[in-house]
């Protein structure tokens, strides 16, 4: 890390912490608009790949000492997009702690003006029916508690702190038909899907980077809420695969529709792929 002069580069500089499948496309889009970008990854091979693709990247690993972390070059950027994943499936429970370290480092360095956390609509787990940003969360599970703690840390950032709760991501290399190939039998067949295309996720993040809003939460989700059975059958057909098998319906499984109208209205964002059935 270089000992840069402590001043914000400009109003068009962005640090992307955890630059993976989504962050890389965001970085490319921003670079095409002559925005200064610094990407980070915890894995050195990813850092090398990003640099080879002309995306300026450095390694950043967590957990870390906040005083040392604050000296990382990413905290000289005007805006931070935090795109690290909770890794719940790997048994990790330290996601909120990592987010707190990042926000504290930004606070300590004093140069970052805006922090955007890429959260997940998994925070609505345990809820039924139609949900939006104002819905009261079901805090009975540890996952929801951790996601909520991470979000609150960003919302309490002293300058601009915003959260976007992204639905299930689809797009290049993430066709839902490939999900079918990985799972022989799918459950919850009558539950509605809650998804968003990569291009719209990036578009919403770019809108947040320019927004006047602060300390707000937005859902990032398409208008497509047909049943899982209908959607994944269409996905299989699109890839000329055998239709998926579905487990017997369980009356205890959740039926949840995540509404994304606030992002459209407040951010004045028009979805590229509002209908993800047509996209298939």
């Amino acid at each position: 890390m270089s000992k840069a002069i402590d001043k914000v580069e400009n109003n068009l500089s962005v640090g992307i912490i955890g630059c993976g499948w989504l962050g890389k496309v965001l970085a490319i889009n921003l670079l095409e608009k002559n925005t200064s970008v610094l990407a980070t990854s915890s894995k050195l091979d990813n850092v090398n790949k990003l640099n080879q693709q002309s995306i300026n990247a450095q390694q950043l690993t967590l957990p870390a000492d906040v005083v040392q972390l604050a000296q990382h070059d990413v905290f000289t950027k005007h805006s931070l997009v935090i795109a690290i994943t909770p890794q719940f499936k790997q048994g990790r429970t330290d996601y909120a702690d990592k987010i707190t370290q990042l926000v504290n480092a930004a606070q300590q360095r004093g140069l970052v003006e805006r922090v955007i956390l890429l959260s997940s609509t998994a925070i609505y787990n345990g809820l039924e029916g139609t949900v939006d940003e104002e819905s009261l969360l079901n805090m009975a599970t540890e996952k929801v508690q951790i996601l909520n703690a991470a979000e609150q840390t960003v919302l309490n950032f002293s300058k601009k702190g915003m959260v976007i709760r992204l639905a299930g991501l689809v797009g290049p290399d993430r066709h839902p038909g490939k999900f079918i190939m990985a799972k022989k039998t799918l459950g919850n067949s009558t539950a509605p899907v809650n998804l968003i295309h990569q291009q719209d996720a990036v578009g919403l993040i770019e809108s947040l980077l320019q927004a006047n809003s602060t300390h707000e939460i937005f859902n990032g989700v398409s208008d497509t809420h047909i049943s899982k059975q209908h959607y994944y059958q269409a996905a299989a057909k699109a890839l000329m695969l055998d239709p998926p098998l579905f487990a017997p319906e369980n009356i205890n499984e959740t039926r949840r529709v995540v509404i994304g109208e606030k992002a459209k209205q407040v951010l004045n964002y028009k979805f590229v792929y509002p209908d993800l059935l047509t996209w298939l």
Side-chain angles (χ1 to χ4, degrees), residues 13-183:
S13 64
V14 179
I16 303 172
I17 299 177
C19 191
W21 180 80
L22 184 61
K24 187 170 76 170
V25 177
L26 173 63
I28 291 169
N29 278 23
L30 292 172
L31 288 169
E32 288 175 351
K33 297 172 183 175
N34 296 317
T35 301
S36 171
V37 173
L38 175 59
T40 80
S41 174
S42 62
K43 297 178 180 177
L44 193 55
D45 59 339
N46 288 345
V47 170
N48 293 333
K49 287 176 183 177
L50 289 167
N51 281 310
Q52 288 166 9
Q53 294 173 296
S54 300
I55 299 171
N56 185 24
Q58 295 179 10
Q59 189 174 27
L60 186 154
T61 56
L62 297 170
D65 175 77
V66 172
V67 175
Q68 289 184 325
L69 183 61
Q71 296 307 307
H72 196 287
D73 290 342
V74 78
F75 296 105
T76 66
K77 299 298 179 181
H78 175 272
S79 298
L80 288 185
V81 175
I82 303 177
I84 65 173
T85 55
Q87 297 181 307
F88 290 133
K89 290 181 180 179
Q90 287 75 41
R92 300 297 294 262
T93 58
D94 58 352
Y95 176 68
D97 295 334
K98 290 178 179 179
I99 301 303
T100 298
Q101 288 185 337
L102 292 169
V103 172
N104 286 347
Q107 199 83 49
Q108 183 166 316
R109 192 71 179 265
L111 303 179
V112 175
E113 296 290 325
R114 183 188 311 251
V115 177
I116 298 170
L117 176 67
L118 306 192
S119 187
S120 168
T121 54
I123 200 168
Y124 298 120
N125 282 4
L127 302 184
E128 290 276 350
T130 300
V131 298
D132 62 17
E133 296 87 349
E134 300 300 318
S135 297
L136 187 64
L137 301 177
N138 182 340
M139 303 293 284
T141 63
E142 186 180 32
K143 178 190 286 187
V144 175
Q145 293 171 15
I146 291 170
L147 290 171
N148 179 65
E151 289 188 359
Q152 292 306 313
T153 297
V154 171
L155 293 171
N156 289 331
F157 180 60
S158 62
K159 297 176 183 176
K160 286 189 176 182
M162 289 173 281
V163 171
I164 180 164
R165 294 169 174 169
L166 295 174
L169 287 158
V170 298
D173 300 324
R174 284 199 185 185
H175 192 284
K178 293 184 178 180
F179 174 74
I180 296 167
M181 294 168 67
K183 297 190 77 171

Side-chain angles (χ1 to χ4, degrees), residues 185-189 245-250 253:
T185 303
L186 303 179
N188 216 358
S189 62
L245 299 175
F246 285 87
E249 187 173 349
N250 184 344
E253 289 176 334

Side-chain angles (χ1 to χ4, degrees), residues 187-199:
N188 216 358
S189 62
T190 60
V193 295
N194 295 288
L195 303 167
I196 186 170
H197 192 279
Q198 181 190 62
Q199 194 169 335

